[in-house]
Amino acid sequence: VNIAARFMEHAEPGQILTSDRIRKEAASQFKFTSLGTITFKGFDEPFQTYQLTGSIEEKPVDLLSSDYPIVGREREKEIIDSSLQTLITGDSTHIAISGDAGIGKSRLVEYAYQQAQQSGVRTMLGLGDEVRGSSLYFAWRPIFRNLFDLEQAAGTGDIQDTEQRGAAFIRKLEQLAPDQLHIAPLLNEILSLDIPDNELTHQMTGEVRAENIRALLVSLLNKAAEASPLMLIMEDAHWFDSASWAMLRTVARDVRPIMLVIAYRPLSDPVPAELSDLLAMQRTYRITLGQLNDAEIETMLLQRFHVKQIPRTVFEAIQKKAEGNPFFSEELAYALRDQDLVQVVDGNLLVSPESGEFARLDFPDTSQDVIRSRIDRLAPQEQ
């Protein structure tokens, strides 16, 4: 507290100063400029001082591909395949995937993405965020950075500052929608631009401004959809901000042709009205993912261990704790391997003699606890 107070005393109005320790901890999200050292009253050693100069753009959203084929979910994959064919023939369709954490939503999303890539369908990815859930349109920012070829703005890409990013945006907008240049400042917040408001956009406030932003974004997406089939994947929608929900409903209703894939955890009441409206649309398929059955979990474990058979004691121990949750089951399997409780010998999975009575082993109660136990076994640098 005393150190923070000293930095505040030295800071100019509107200026944020930090120590080197804080700079290091925040360096992945914020930019800093060194101001040299400052000696504070009451402290013998000088402090290396940095000024906060801005935030680092979010990294482009990408999907992590699994090393293993998806297990089960045959009906769900058929829905995705048929919806993709509907899109290719020129009609819109939407898929809403809900389920608990670790139940396999991201695996289905990954499947949809891969099928779209193989079919030559342009795919853009949006993402909700637990921390930045209050930032307007946060989930849609990567989609419109993609649309305007601004992905390089993330991190240390080719476009280095706001001015250059703004110029690149204007050039792209002239290509996509030259008739919309007069309201370009509306996208400042979404794309981290600094285009001054003009007389028209300055007068737009509140809901009027929000409606015009949505109309502009929908117009741009329609132009992209007209050029080629378009799939939008929205992950972690349970962390959407209100503006992102409103945008989702507008896109589902007004953009043609498009395939919208939205994944989210079960939401407590009241469910966002925009999601209820989406689920009520005739062309929306609703997928609620449940647990995998015993045969599917066994198939998955055989994949992970690269063996042809799982000892019954191992399988029952995993099922008793994970209850058919694929991610939890997978992490438990890896934890058993990491702790040398099971071993693969000549393609066979064997229970280690040191494990004692396997059924009485104390397994962690949650997937988070399993992951923590695995991390604890790593060297500090790996952790």
Side-chain angles (χ1 to χ4, degrees):
V1 174
N2 290 337
I3 295 172
R6 297 292 183 266
F7 276 111
M8 290 172 66
E9 290 171 356
H10 279 78
E12 299 293 332
Q15 185 183 42
I16 299 176
L17 301 182
T18 74
S19 66
D20 187 42
R21 181 178 67 83
I22 298 299
R23 177 194 65 84
K24 289 178 180 177
E25 293 187 7
S28 64
Q29 297 186 48
F30 298 95
K31 301 175 185 177
F32 298 89
T33 299
S34 175
L35 299 181
T37 59
I38 299 178
T39 301
F40 295 145
K41 180 181 178 181
F43 296 89
D44 295 332
E45 297 294 328
F47 283 83
Q48 186 69 38
T49 304
Y50 293 85
Q51 177 181 343
L52 176 69
T53 58
S55 62
I56 294 175
E57 283 291 310
E58 306 89 41
K59 295 179 180 179
V61 177
D62 198 2
L63 290 177
L64 296 176
S65 59
S66 173
D67 295 330
Y68 303 98
I70 190 169
V71 174
R73 312 303 190 197
E74 297 304 323
R75 172 184 165 274
E76 291 83 358
K77 289 190 289 186
E78 288 176 3
I79 291 174
I80 290 172
D81 292 340
S82 64
S83 296
L84 191 56
Q85 290 305 311
T86 298
L87 172 68
I88 293 172
T89 58
D91 290 326
S92 293
T93 184
H94 312 309
I95 299 176
I97 306 171
S98 65
D100 294 327
I103 206 67
K105 299 184 297 298
S106 293
R107 292 303 314 275
L108 268 186
V109 166
E110 176 194 334
Y111 177 82
Y113 178 82
Q114 292 172 343
Q115 296 301 104
Q117 295 297 101
Q118 294 174 10
S119 302
V121 171
R122 183 178 185 182
T123 307
M124 295 190 232
L125 311 175
L127 185 69
D129 185 271
E130 184 177 16
V131 175
R132 304 198 190 193
S134 60
S135 301
L136 294 180
Y137 298 103
F138 183 84
W140 291 88
R141 293 181 185 183
I143 287 177
F144 289 100
R145 285 202 305 268
N146 181 310
L147 189 63
F148 285 99
D149 298 329
L150 295 177
E151 291 287 11
Q152 291 290 343
T156 56
D158 296 331
I159 303 175
Q160 294 296 324
D161 55 36
T162 303
E163 183 177 341
Q164 289 175 304
R165 196 163 51 239
F169 162 75
I170 291 297
R171 288 194 297 271
K172 191 66 176 181
L173 186 59
E174 287 175 340
Q175 298 174 16
L176 294 175
D179 57 326
Q180 305 289 343
L181 284 170
H182 61 294
I183 55 174
L186 293 179
L187 298 187
N188 276 338
E189 186 171 357
I190 299 176
L191 296 175
S192 300
L193 304 173
D194 193 20
I195 302 172
D197 265 326
N198 54 43
E199 185 176 349
L200 174 62
T201 58
H202 179 72
Q203 297 175 9
M204 295 181 183
T205 59
E207 185 58 29
V208 172
R209 192 177 186 91
E211 288 178 358
N212 277 275
I213 289 175
R214 287 197 294 270
L216 174 56
L217 296 178
V218 165
S219 173
L220 294 169
L221 283 175
N222 265 315
K223 291 182 181 298
E226 290 170 5
S228 64
L230 181 63
M231 175 190 286
L232 298 185
I233 294 177
M234 308 301 292
E235 270 268 46
D236 291 338
H238 47 278
W239 286 322
F240 275 15
D241 58 275
S242 58
S244 290
W245 277 120
M247 184 67 190
L248 182 75
R249 175 171 59 186
T250 304
V251 168
R253 185 185 61 209
D254 297 339
V255 176
R256 300 283 187 279
I258 193 172
M259 180 174 171
L260 188 62
V261 179
I262 172 175
Y264 57 96
R265 296 179 191 171
L267 296 166
S268 56
D269 292 330
V271 173
E274 296 86 354
L275 176 59
S276 297
D277 291 347
L278 174 66
L279 296 176
M281 293 181 181
Q282 289 185 349
R283 58 184 179 276
T284 297
Y285 293 94
R286 184 172 184 173
I287 295 175
T288 302
L289 292 181
Q291 302 166 347
L292 295 181
N293 60 38
D294 286 359
E296 291 167 338
I297 289 293
E298 186 172 9
T299 298
M300 189 188 75
L301 295 177
L302 292 173
Q303 288 179 353
R304 303 313 187 259
F305 284 121
H306 301 284
V307 295
K308 296 180 179 180
Q309 189 173 3
I310 300 289
R312 206 68 210 160
T313 53
V314 175
F315 177 76
E316 289 176 353
I318 291 175
Q319 273 294 71
K320 181 179 179 181
K321 187 65 68 172
E323 298 179 336
N325 182 296
F327 180 68
F328 196 0
S329 301
E330 181 180 58
E331 288 300 317
L332 281 171
Y334 291 149
L336 295 175
R337 178 202 62 191
D338 293 348
Q339 297 177 43
D340 293 326
L341 297 176
V342 296
Q343 298 175 346
V344 177
V345 179
D346 297 329
N348 298 307
L349 186 68
L350 305 178
V351 177
S352 302
E354 296 79 8
S355 64
E357 192 171 347
F358 202 84
R360 294 190 179 184
L361 289 175
D362 186 21
F363 290 104
D365 290 323
T366 68
S367 56
Q368 290 91 336
D369 291 337
V370 176
I371 294 170
R372 286 193 196 98
S373 71
R374 296 186 63 206
I375 292 175
D376 287 343
R377 301 178 67 85
L378 300 175
Q381 186 175 1
E382 292 174 320
Q383 289 181 18

mmCIF file of all heavy atoms in Angstrom, residues 94 96 98 237 240 244-246 248-250 252-253 260 262 264 267-286:
data_model
loop_
_atom_site.group_PDB
_atom_site.id
_atom_site.type_symbol
_atom_site.label_atom_id
_atom_site.label_comp_id
_atom_site.label_asym_id
_atom_site.label_seq_id
_atom_site.Cartn_x
_atom_site.Cartn_y
_atom_site.Cartn_z
ATOM 1 N N HIS A 94 -29.050 -22.695 -37.855
ATOM 2 C CA HIS A 94 -28.315 -22.395 -36.633
ATOM 3 C C HIS A 94 -28.295 -23.619 -35.723
ATOM 4 O O HIS A 94 -29.241 -24.408 -35.708
ATOM 5 C CB HIS A 94 -28.956 -21.218 -35.883
ATOM 6 C CG HIS A 94 -29.261 -20.051 -36.766
ATOM 7 N ND1 HIS A 94 -28.322 -19.492 -37.608
ATOM 8 C CD2 HIS A 94 -30.416 -19.339 -36.952
ATOM 9 C CE1 HIS A 94 -28.880 -18.489 -38.269
ATOM 10 N NE2 HIS A 94 -30.138 -18.381 -37.891
ATOM 11 N N ALA A 96 -27.459 -24.607 -31.607
ATOM 12 C CA ALA A 96 -27.155 -24.179 -30.247
ATOM 13 C C ALA A 96 -26.742 -25.407 -29.438
ATOM 14 O O ALA A 96 -27.527 -26.337 -29.269
ATOM 15 C CB ALA A 96 -28.368 -23.508 -29.619
ATOM 16 N N SER A 98 -25.472 -26.867 -25.886
ATOM 17 C CA SER A 98 -25.350 -26.577 -24.457
ATOM 18 C C SER A 98 -24.915 -27.824 -23.708
ATOM 19 O O SER A 98 -25.192 -28.953 -24.128
ATOM 20 C CB SER A 98 -26.676 -26.060 -23.888
ATOM 21 O OG SER A 98 -27.676 -27.061 -23.947
ATOM 22 N N ALA A 237 -20.626 -18.771 -24.882
ATOM 23 C CA ALA A 237 -21.647 -17.724 -24.909
ATOM 24 C C ALA A 237 -22.195 -17.417 -23.517
ATOM 25 O O ALA A 237 -22.796 -16.356 -23.312
ATOM 26 C CB ALA A 237 -22.788 -18.137 -25.833
ATOM 27 N N PHE A 240 -21.192 -14.019 -22.480
ATOM 28 C CA PHE A 240 -21.469 -12.889 -23.364
ATOM 29 C C PHE A 240 -21.908 -11.657 -22.572
ATOM 30 O O PHE A 240 -22.634 -11.770 -21.569
ATOM 31 C CB PHE A 240 -22.588 -13.242 -24.348
ATOM 32 C CG PHE A 240 -22.113 -13.955 -25.587
ATOM 33 C CD1 PHE A 240 -20.857 -14.523 -25.654
ATOM 34 C CD2 PHE A 240 -22.950 -14.071 -26.688
ATOM 35 C CE1 PHE A 240 -20.434 -15.190 -26.792
ATOM 36 C CE2 PHE A 240 -22.537 -14.728 -27.835
ATOM 37 C CZ PHE A 240 -21.272 -15.288 -27.880
ATOM 38 N N SER A 244 -23.342 -8.268 -26.981
ATOM 39 C CA SER A 244 -23.024 -9.442 -27.800
ATOM 40 C C SER A 244 -24.252 -10.329 -27.972
ATOM 41 O O SER A 244 -24.477 -10.897 -29.047
ATOM 42 C CB SER A 244 -21.877 -10.239 -27.176
ATOM 43 O OG SER A 244 -20.648 -9.543 -27.277
ATOM 44 N N TRP A 245 -25.070 -10.476 -26.925
ATOM 45 C CA TRP A 245 -26.322 -11.223 -27.043
ATOM 46 C C TRP A 245 -27.251 -10.556 -28.045
ATOM 47 O O TRP A 245 -27.855 -11.232 -28.905
ATOM 48 C CB TRP A 245 -27.020 -11.326 -25.685
ATOM 49 C CG TRP A 245 -26.540 -12.426 -24.801
ATOM 50 C CD1 TRP A 245 -25.984 -12.304 -23.563
ATOM 51 C CD2 TRP A 245 -26.572 -13.834 -25.064
ATOM 52 N NE1 TRP A 245 -25.660 -13.542 -23.050
ATOM 53 C CE2 TRP A 245 -26.020 -14.499 -23.945
ATOM 54 C CE3 TRP A 245 -27.010 -14.597 -26.148
ATOM 55 C CZ2 TRP A 245 -25.904 -15.883 -23.871
ATOM 56 C CZ3 TRP A 245 -26.892 -15.986 -26.074
ATOM 57 C CH2 TRP A 245 -26.342 -16.610 -24.951
ATOM 58 N N ALA A 246 -27.388 -9.231 -27.952
ATOM 59 C CA ALA A 246 -28.267 -8.525 -28.877
ATOM 60 C C ALA A 246 -27.788 -8.670 -30.307
ATOM 61 O O ALA A 246 -28.586 -8.860 -31.242
ATOM 62 C CB ALA A 246 -28.336 -7.036 -28.491
ATOM 63 N N LEU A 248 -26.093 -11.201 -31.490
ATOM 64 C CA LEU A 248 -26.339 -12.580 -31.896
ATOM 65 C C LEU A 248 -27.749 -12.746 -32.460
ATOM 66 O O LEU A 248 -27.944 -13.356 -33.518
ATOM 67 C CB LEU A 248 -26.136 -13.514 -30.698
ATOM 68 C CG LEU A 248 -26.319 -14.999 -30.979
ATOM 69 C CD1 LEU A 248 -25.129 -15.552 -31.742
ATOM 70 C CD2 LEU A 248 -26.511 -15.774 -29.674
ATOM 71 N N ARG A 249 -28.721 -12.212 -31.753
ATOM 72 C CA ARG A 249 -30.100 -12.332 -32.228
ATOM 73 C C ARG A 249 -30.290 -11.612 -33.560
ATOM 74 O O ARG A 249 -30.950 -12.139 -34.475
ATOM 75 C CB ARG A 249 -31.058 -11.752 -31.183
ATOM 76 C CG ARG A 249 -32.511 -11.730 -31.656
ATOM 77 C CD ARG A 249 -33.461 -11.352 -30.543
ATOM 78 N NE ARG A 249 -33.163 -10.037 -29.978
ATOM 79 C CZ ARG A 249 -33.796 -9.538 -28.914
ATOM 80 N NH1 ARG A 249 -34.728 -10.258 -28.300
ATOM 81 N NH2 ARG A 249 -33.481 -8.349 -28.447
ATOM 82 N N THR A 250 -29.713 -10.430 -33.687
ATOM 83 C CA THR A 250 -29.855 -9.665 -34.924
ATOM 84 C C THR A 250 -29.218 -10.392 -36.099
ATOM 85 O O THR A 250 -29.788 -10.450 -37.190
ATOM 86 C CB THR A 250 -29.219 -8.274 -34.760
ATOM 87 O OG1 THR A 250 -29.814 -7.615 -33.633
ATOM 88 C CG2 THR A 250 -29.442 -7.427 -36.001
ATOM 89 N N ALA A 252 -28.662 -13.669 -36.360
ATOM 90 C CA ALA A 252 -29.452 -14.873 -36.659
ATOM 91 C C ALA A 252 -30.699 -14.535 -37.470
ATOM 92 O O ALA A 252 -31.124 -15.307 -38.333
ATOM 93 C CB ALA A 252 -29.850 -15.569 -35.360
ATOM 94 N N ARG A 253 -31.259 -13.384 -37.221
ATOM 95 C CA ARG A 253 -32.505 -12.990 -37.883
ATOM 96 C C ARG A 253 -32.279 -12.363 -39.249
ATOM 97 O O ARG A 253 -33.060 -12.576 -40.177
ATOM 98 C CB ARG A 253 -33.238 -11.997 -36.972
ATOM 99 C CG ARG A 253 -34.611 -11.569 -37.456
ATOM 100 C CD ARG A 253 -35.165 -10.492 -36.533
ATOM 101 N NE ARG A 253 -34.295 -9.311 -36.530
ATOM 102 C CZ ARG A 253 -34.158 -8.484 -35.498
ATOM 103 N NH1 ARG A 253 -34.779 -8.725 -34.358
ATOM 104 N NH2 ARG A 253 -33.369 -7.435 -35.588
ATOM 105 N N LEU A 260 -24.878 -20.421 -37.985
ATOM 106 C CA LEU A 260 -24.449 -19.931 -36.683
ATOM 107 C C LEU A 260 -24.341 -21.112 -35.724
ATOM 108 O O LEU A 260 -25.301 -21.855 -35.529
ATOM 109 C CB LEU A 260 -25.462 -18.913 -36.163
ATOM 110 C CG LEU A 260 -25.129 -18.125 -34.908
ATOM 111 C CD1 LEU A 260 -23.894 -17.263 -35.135
ATOM 112 C CD2 LEU A 260 -26.317 -17.242 -34.531
ATOM 113 N N ILE A 262 -23.424 -21.887 -31.828
ATOM 114 C CA ILE A 262 -23.209 -21.245 -30.539
ATOM 115 C C ILE A 262 -23.103 -22.313 -29.460
ATOM 116 O O ILE A 262 -23.910 -23.240 -29.411
ATOM 117 C CB ILE A 262 -24.353 -20.247 -30.223
ATOM 118 C CG1 ILE A 262 -24.227 -19.715 -28.794
ATOM 119 C CG2 ILE A 262 -25.715 -20.851 -30.468
ATOM 120 C CD1 ILE A 262 -25.227 -18.657 -28.451
ATOM 121 N N TYR A 264 -22.515 -23.084 -25.231
ATOM 122 C CA TYR A 264 -22.623 -22.429 -23.926
ATOM 123 C C TYR A 264 -22.950 -23.446 -22.847
ATOM 124 O O TYR A 264 -23.511 -24.510 -23.115
ATOM 125 C CB TYR A 264 -23.710 -21.344 -23.964
ATOM 126 C CG TYR A 264 -25.077 -21.842 -24.372
ATOM 127 C CD1 TYR A 264 -26.039 -22.180 -23.424
ATOM 128 C CD2 TYR A 264 -25.404 -21.992 -25.722
ATOM 129 C CE1 TYR A 264 -27.288 -22.651 -23.801
ATOM 130 C CE2 TYR A 264 -26.654 -22.463 -26.113
ATOM 131 C CZ TYR A 264 -27.580 -22.789 -25.146
ATOM 132 O OH TYR A 264 -28.818 -23.264 -25.526
ATOM 133 N N LEU A 267 -27.522 -22.066 -18.562
ATOM 134 C CA LEU A 267 -27.670 -20.732 -17.981
ATOM 135 C C LEU A 267 -28.785 -20.739 -16.950
ATOM 136 O O LEU A 267 -29.838 -21.345 -17.150
ATOM 137 C CB LEU A 267 -27.971 -19.709 -19.076
ATOM 138 C CG LEU A 267 -26.848 -19.522 -20.107
ATOM 139 C CD1 LEU A 267 -27.348 -18.763 -21.320
ATOM 140 C CD2 LEU A 267 -25.679 -18.779 -19.480
ATOM 141 N N SER A 268 -28.556 -20.060 -15.860
ATOM 142 C CA SER A 268 -29.585 -19.955 -14.830
ATOM 143 C C SER A 268 -30.624 -18.924 -15.259
ATOM 144 O O SER A 268 -30.358 -18.038 -16.067
ATOM 145 C CB SER A 268 -28.966 -19.541 -13.496
ATOM 146 O OG SER A 268 -28.252 -18.320 -13.635
ATOM 147 N N ASP A 269 -31.824 -19.054 -14.719
ATOM 148 C CA ASP A 269 -32.893 -18.097 -15.022
ATOM 149 C C ASP A 269 -32.562 -16.733 -14.410
ATOM 150 O O ASP A 269 -31.977 -16.651 -13.330
ATOM 151 C CB ASP A 269 -34.223 -18.624 -14.468
ATOM 152 C CG ASP A 269 -34.697 -19.856 -15.226
ATOM 153 O OD1 ASP A 269 -34.384 -19.959 -16.428
ATOM 154 O OD2 ASP A 269 -35.367 -20.706 -14.611
ATOM 155 N N PRO A 270 -32.945 -15.648 -15.096
ATOM 156 C CA PRO A 270 -33.616 -15.665 -16.402
ATOM 157 C C PRO A 270 -32.620 -15.828 -17.556
ATOM 158 O O PRO A 270 -31.585 -15.181 -17.575
ATOM 159 C CB PRO A 270 -34.262 -14.276 -16.458
ATOM 160 C CG PRO A 270 -33.351 -13.407 -15.634
ATOM 161 C CD PRO A 270 -32.815 -14.285 -14.529
ATOM 162 N N VAL A 271 -32.932 -16.727 -18.461
ATOM 163 C CA VAL A 271 -32.122 -16.925 -19.654
ATOM 164 C C VAL A 271 -32.223 -15.678 -20.519
ATOM 165 O O VAL A 271 -33.300 -15.088 -20.638
ATOM 166 C CB VAL A 271 -32.614 -18.163 -20.438
ATOM 167 C CG1 VAL A 271 -31.894 -18.291 -21.761
ATOM 168 C CG2 VAL A 271 -32.410 -19.417 -19.599
ATOM 169 N N PRO A 272 -31.119 -15.214 -21.123
ATOM 170 C CA PRO A 272 -31.202 -14.032 -21.984
ATOM 171 C C PRO A 272 -32.300 -14.171 -23.029
ATOM 172 O O PRO A 272 -32.427 -15.223 -23.674
ATOM 173 C CB PRO A 272 -29.811 -13.971 -22.630
ATOM 174 C CG PRO A 272 -28.912 -14.651 -21.646
ATOM 175 C CD PRO A 272 -29.745 -15.743 -21.031
ATOM 176 N N ALA A 273 -33.094 -13.119 -23.178
ATOM 177 C CA ALA A 273 -34.209 -13.155 -24.129
ATOM 178 C C ALA A 273 -33.718 -13.436 -25.542
ATOM 179 O O ALA A 273 -34.406 -14.095 -26.337
ATOM 180 C CB ALA A 273 -34.970 -11.835 -24.074
ATOM 181 N N GLU A 274 -32.519 -12.953 -25.863
ATOM 182 C CA GLU A 274 -31.974 -13.159 -27.202
ATOM 183 C C GLU A 274 -31.733 -14.639 -27.474
ATOM 184 O O GLU A 274 -31.956 -15.122 -28.593
ATOM 185 C CB GLU A 274 -30.661 -12.377 -27.368
ATOM 186 C CG GLU A 274 -30.801 -10.868 -27.288
ATOM 187 C CD GLU A 274 -30.745 -10.338 -25.860
ATOM 188 O OE1 GLU A 274 -30.709 -11.175 -24.921
ATOM 189 O OE2 GLU A 274 -30.729 -9.104 -25.686
ATOM 190 N N LEU A 275 -31.269 -15.372 -26.467
ATOM 191 C CA LEU A 275 -31.064 -16.812 -26.641
ATOM 192 C C LEU A 275 -32.403 -17.520 -26.800
ATOM 193 O O LEU A 275 -32.542 -18.418 -27.646
ATOM 194 C CB LEU A 275 -30.298 -17.389 -25.450
ATOM 195 C CG LEU A 275 -30.088 -18.905 -25.455
ATOM 196 C CD1 LEU A 275 -29.322 -19.342 -26.697
ATOM 197 C CD2 LEU A 275 -29.362 -19.363 -24.194
ATOM 198 N N SER A 276 -33.395 -17.134 -25.995
ATOM 199 C CA SER A 276 -34.726 -17.734 -26.121
ATOM 200 C C SER A 276 -35.286 -17.516 -27.518
ATOM 201 O O SER A 276 -35.881 -18.419 -28.114
ATOM 202 C CB SER A 276 -35.669 -17.136 -25.068
ATOM 203 O OG SER A 276 -35.216 -17.435 -23.758
ATOM 204 N N ASP A 277 -35.088 -16.320 -28.061
ATOM 205 C CA ASP A 277 -35.576 -16.024 -29.418
ATOM 206 C C ASP A 277 -34.859 -16.889 -30.447
ATOM 207 O O ASP A 277 -35.486 -17.397 -31.390
ATOM 208 C CB ASP A 277 -35.365 -14.539 -29.737
ATOM 209 C CG ASP A 277 -36.268 -13.635 -28.914
ATOM 210 O OD1 ASP A 277 -37.210 -14.163 -28.293
ATOM 211 O OD2 ASP A 277 -36.022 -12.415 -28.885
ATOM 212 N N LEU A 278 -33.551 -17.063 -30.277
ATOM 213 C CA LEU A 278 -32.787 -17.887 -31.214
ATOM 214 C C LEU A 278 -33.268 -19.334 -31.171
ATOM 215 O O LEU A 278 -33.462 -19.972 -32.214
ATOM 216 C CB LEU A 278 -31.296 -17.813 -30.876
ATOM 217 C CG LEU A 278 -30.368 -18.739 -31.676
ATOM 218 C CD1 LEU A 278 -30.342 -18.332 -33.145
ATOM 219 C CD2 LEU A 278 -28.960 -18.735 -31.092
ATOM 220 N N LEU A 279 -33.470 -19.862 -29.964
ATOM 221 C CA LEU A 279 -33.901 -21.245 -29.824
ATOM 222 C C LEU A 279 -35.296 -21.473 -30.388
ATOM 223 O O LEU A 279 -35.644 -22.593 -30.788
ATOM 224 C CB LEU A 279 -33.869 -21.664 -28.347
ATOM 225 C CG LEU A 279 -32.487 -21.680 -27.686
ATOM 226 C CD1 LEU A 279 -32.613 -22.010 -26.206
ATOM 227 C CD2 LEU A 279 -31.565 -22.672 -28.378
ATOM 228 N N ALA A 280 -36.104 -20.410 -30.425
ATOM 229 C CA ALA A 280 -37.472 -20.534 -30.926
ATOM 230 C C ALA A 280 -37.562 -20.458 -32.445
ATOM 231 O O ALA A 280 -38.620 -20.751 -33.016
ATOM 232 C CB ALA A 280 -38.353 -19.446 -30.304
ATOM 233 N N MET A 281 -36.468 -20.080 -33.121
ATOM 234 C CA MET A 281 -36.497 -19.973 -34.576
ATOM 235 C C MET A 281 -36.627 -21.357 -35.205
ATOM 236 O O MET A 281 -36.036 -22.330 -34.730
ATOM 237 C CB MET A 281 -35.222 -19.281 -35.082
ATOM 238 C CG MET A 281 -35.114 -17.830 -34.682
ATOM 239 S SD MET A 281 -33.582 -17.061 -35.333
ATOM 240 C CE MET A 281 -33.738 -15.407 -34.690
ATOM 241 N N GLN A 282 -37.377 -21.432 -36.281
ATOM 242 C CA GLN A 282 -37.644 -22.719 -36.927
ATOM 243 C C GLN A 282 -36.380 -23.386 -37.450
ATOM 244 O O GLN A 282 -36.281 -24.610 -37.465
ATOM 245 C CB GLN A 282 -38.641 -22.519 -38.079
ATOM 246 C CG GLN A 282 -40.060 -22.215 -37.614
ATOM 247 C CD GLN A 282 -41.027 -22.152 -38.780
ATOM 248 O OE1 GLN A 282 -40.607 -22.138 -39.945
ATOM 249 N NE2 GLN A 282 -42.312 -22.108 -38.489
ATOM 250 N N ARG A 283 -35.424 -22.625 -37.868
ATOM 251 C CA ARG A 283 -34.217 -23.205 -38.461
ATOM 252 C C ARG A 283 -33.101 -23.425 -37.438
ATOM 253 O O ARG A 283 -31.943 -23.587 -37.803
ATOM 254 C CB ARG A 283 -33.717 -22.306 -39.590
ATOM 255 C CG ARG A 283 -33.419 -20.886 -39.155
ATOM 256 C CD ARG A 283 -33.027 -20.025 -40.349
ATOM 257 N NE ARG A 283 -32.762 -18.659 -39.953
ATOM 258 C CZ ARG A 283 -33.684 -17.733 -39.807
ATOM 259 N NH1 ARG A 283 -34.956 -18.038 -40.007
ATOM 260 N NH2 ARG A 283 -33.354 -16.493 -39.465
ATOM 261 N N THR A 284 -33.427 -23.406 -36.142
ATOM 262 C CA THR A 284 -32.430 -23.639 -35.097
ATOM 263 C C THR A 284 -32.521 -25.062 -34.566
ATOM 264 O O THR A 284 -33.597 -25.517 -34.173
ATOM 265 C CB THR A 284 -32.620 -22.650 -33.929
ATOM 266 O OG1 THR A 284 -32.416 -21.314 -34.388
ATOM 267 C CG2 THR A 284 -31.611 -22.944 -32.813
ATOM 268 N N TYR A 285 -31.384 -25.768 -34.560
ATOM 269 C CA TYR A 285 -31.289 -27.089 -33.943
ATOM 270 C C TYR A 285 -30.714 -26.915 -32.537
ATOM 271 O O TYR A 285 -29.682 -26.262 -32.364
ATOM 272 C CB TYR A 285 -30.376 -28.012 -34.752
ATOM 273 C CG TYR A 285 -30.912 -28.372 -36.109
ATOM 274 C CD1 TYR A 285 -30.547 -27.643 -37.229
ATOM 275 C CD2 TYR A 285 -31.784 -29.446 -36.261
ATOM 276 C CE1 TYR A 285 -31.031 -27.976 -38.486
ATOM 277 C CE2 TYR A 285 -32.275 -29.789 -37.512
ATOM 278 C CZ TYR A 285 -31.894 -29.032 -38.622
ATOM 279 O OH TYR A 285 -32.379 -29.363 -39.852
ATOM 280 N N ARG A 286 -31.354 -27.514 -31.570
ATOM 281 C CA ARG A 286 -30.887 -27.412 -30.191
ATOM 282 C C ARG A 286 -30.258 -28.736 -29.779
ATOM 283 O O ARG A 286 -30.907 -29.788 -29.815
ATOM 284 C CB ARG A 286 -32.050 -27.064 -29.273
ATOM 285 C CG ARG A 286 -31.637 -26.849 -27.821
ATOM 286 C CD ARG A 286 -32.804 -26.316 -27.015
ATOM 287 N NE ARG A 286 -32.398 -26.007 -25.641
ATOM 288 C CZ ARG A 286 -33.184 -25.402 -24.770
ATOM 289 N NH1 ARG A 286 -34.422 -25.057 -25.117
ATOM 290 N NH2 ARG A 286 -32.746 -25.150 -23.551
#
